[in-house]
Amino acid sequence: MLRVLLLPLALLVLSAFSPVAHAASFACEKAATPFEHAVCDNPLLSAKDSLLAKAFATAIGGLEKPSAGVMRSQQRDWLGFVQRDCLDGADPLTTGAYGSDQVTCFLDGYDRRITALEDSRMMGGVRIYPSTSYAVLPDTSPDTNAYNKVARYDAAIPQIDGGERGGIAFNKFMARQGAELSALLASPDGSGLDATADSSLRIYVEAVYPARISTKALRYWYGHGAAHGQTDISNQHFLRMEARPLVASDVFEGDDWRQALLDLSVIQLKTLLGDSLMLDDPTTLAEYVIDPARWSFGDNGLEIQFQQYEVTAYALGSPKVTIGWEALSGYLSTSYDQVLYGY
């Protein structure tokens, strides 16, 4: 059963105006729970808690009241999550003390939370903040090993603060993208979660132009007992004026661009990977190279993302090739520069 992750905002709001002991974000003489004592008793965790408090205060700065309220609620969710995430059975301690392994786990959880909060910022005149979700379930399967006693899920998607039409449409688009990429966002009640796996999704804004907002999605999935986890990278592009996602015809026109893009991609992969390229049949890449979710737009050309295992060994990661704009000039739509840069 999915654990409810709502706790009082104990660490970040409890004593914003109280005398501070140690470096924690709250008065340690008032520590009452095993988690609060762990924060106060460990100098590294205490310092990390103070840093998190600053990151959170910065992240909600300048937000309108509804958006700030969402982030406060999600911070409470995270506080419940991090305690359950670090203990077998997914239940926080009510008595006793956390051990060194749990403290190390807390430190890692703090780092991930701070990274998520750093996605709250102004960019290209747009105020962006992360909407986050967390869940943890006990893994009680017979094959569970000593290192995977819980299944942990987290997801973060960008949202635009304020209620203007373009922002509302972008927020809905990101919610749909998040649900496609994360089981946690697709089934927030927990019914669709696998208790024998970990999953993480972070979508962040990469570029803001007058005509386009582009985001990058980093997704990680690890099945307990597997030799290693899986990572994939994708891109989402939102046209602000039309309030819709970018499609291939916004960039290319005619009938020949698909084959040209495939041929040019194969040439670049051979140059990049050499003998490490694993590609018996180049046509297997056709559906990848024409997918806008594989594209990012650089000054030097169109960048095309490939995932782990698709074209080379796992150890070489997720290669990316760049096709120069000059090589694509005969296939580009007449308005592609407006789409890409908002001229």
Side-chain angles (χ1 to χ4, degrees):
M1 178 180 294
L2 181 65
R3 300 301 200 264
V4 177
L5 301 178
L6 297 179
L7 292 180
L9 190 52
L11 296 183
L12 301 181
V13 178
L14 177 129
S15 62
F17 306 100
S18 301
V20 177
H22 299 265
S25 67
F26 60 99
C28 280
E29 63 268 19
K30 296 182 180 180
T33 68
F35 183 62
E36 290 170 352
H37 282 292
V39 171
C40 292
D41 294 345
N42 184 280
L44 290 176
L45 189 55
S46 182
K48 194 73 70 173
D49 183 71
S50 181
L51 180 61
L52 176 62
K54 293 177 182 179
F56 182 75
T58 302
I60 63 172
L63 287 178
E64 295 186 7
K65 188 174 181 179
S67 301
V70 167
M71 290 201 67
R72 288 191 178 94
S73 175
Q74 292 174 351
Q75 184 70 10
R76 290 192 291 269
D77 292 350
W78 176 81
L79 283 168
F81 163 80
V82 73
Q83 296 175 66
R84 290 172 165 83
D85 178 41
C86 294
L87 203 68
D88 294 354
D91 283 320
L93 290 181
T94 56
T95 60
Y98 287 100
S100 59
D101 288 345
Q102 283 76 45
V103 170
T104 299
C105 178
F106 291 150
L107 287 168
D108 183 59
Y110 269 75
D111 285 338
R112 294 196 305 270
R113 180 61 181 167
I114 290 168
T115 297
L117 293 173
E118 288 173 348
D119 287 338
S120 182
R121 55 180 173 158
M122 287 292 299
M123 193 170 184
V126 175
R127 182 63 169 92
I128 300 161
Y129 68 96
S131 176
T132 56
S133 299
Y134 298 92
V136 58
L137 302 87
D139 182 349
T140 59
S141 64
D143 298 328
T144 299
N145 60 41
Y147 303 102
N148 304 113
K149 296 296 187 182
V150 298
R152 47 186 66 92
Y153 286 79
D154 63 81
I157 62 172
Q159 298 282 270
I160 291 178
D161 188 29
E164 72 274 9
R165 174 179 173 270
I168 292 173
F170 174 83
N171 292 348
K172 291 181 178 178
F173 172 59
M174 282 292 99
R176 292 194 301 271
Q177 291 297 306
E180 289 181 10
L181 295 173
S182 169
L184 176 59
L185 298 181
S187 57
D189 64 351
S191 60
L193 302 186
D194 179 0
T196 65
D198 300 337
S199 175
S200 180
L201 171 68
R202 177 188 173 215
I203 304 180
Y204 64 93
V205 174
E206 193 171 46
V208 177
Y209 293 99
R212 169 176 56 88
I213 299 176
S214 288
T215 66
K216 186 171 292 290
L218 306 177
R219 182 170 58 169
Y220 173 82
W221 187 88
Y222 171 68
H224 294 172
H228 51 71
Q230 281 285 119
T231 301
D232 64 50
I233 304 168
S234 60
N235 304 288
Q236 296 80 32
H237 309 287
F238 182 79
L239 301 186
R240 300 175 68 182
M241 300 300 107
E242 293 88 345
R244 64 170 176 83
L246 177 142
V247 295
S249 60
D250 293 315
V251 181
F252 294 103
E253 61 185 10
D255 299 324
D256 300 330
W257 68 269
R258 295 173 180 83
Q259 186 62 50
L261 198 56
L262 175 60
D263 295 340
L264 291 166
S265 297
V266 171
I267 292 172
Q268 291 299 315
L269 283 170
K270 290 179 178 178
T271 300
L272 176 67
L273 298 173
D275 293 340
S276 297
L277 178 63
M278 300 165 56
L279 187 63
D280 294 331
D281 182 6
T283 62
T284 59
L285 303 183
E287 63 180 295
Y288 301 152
V289 302
I290 66 171
D291 182 2
R294 302 288 188 125
W295 300 349
S296 52
F297 305 106
D299 292 337
N300 295 325
L302 180 69
E303 299 168 353
I304 301 177
Q305 181 73 58
F306 296 93
Q307 310 299 351
Q308 290 175 328
Y309 288 122
E310 285 181 346
V311 293
T312 192
Y314 174 84
L316 294 181
S318 306
K320 181 169 63 175
V321 299
T322 300
I323 312 300
W325 293 121
E326 184 175 349
L328 296 170
S329 60
Y331 311 101
L332 297 171
S333 69
T334 56
S335 60
Y336 91 97
D337 54 346
Q338 298 174 16
V339 170
L340 300 190
Y341 307 112
Y343 294 156

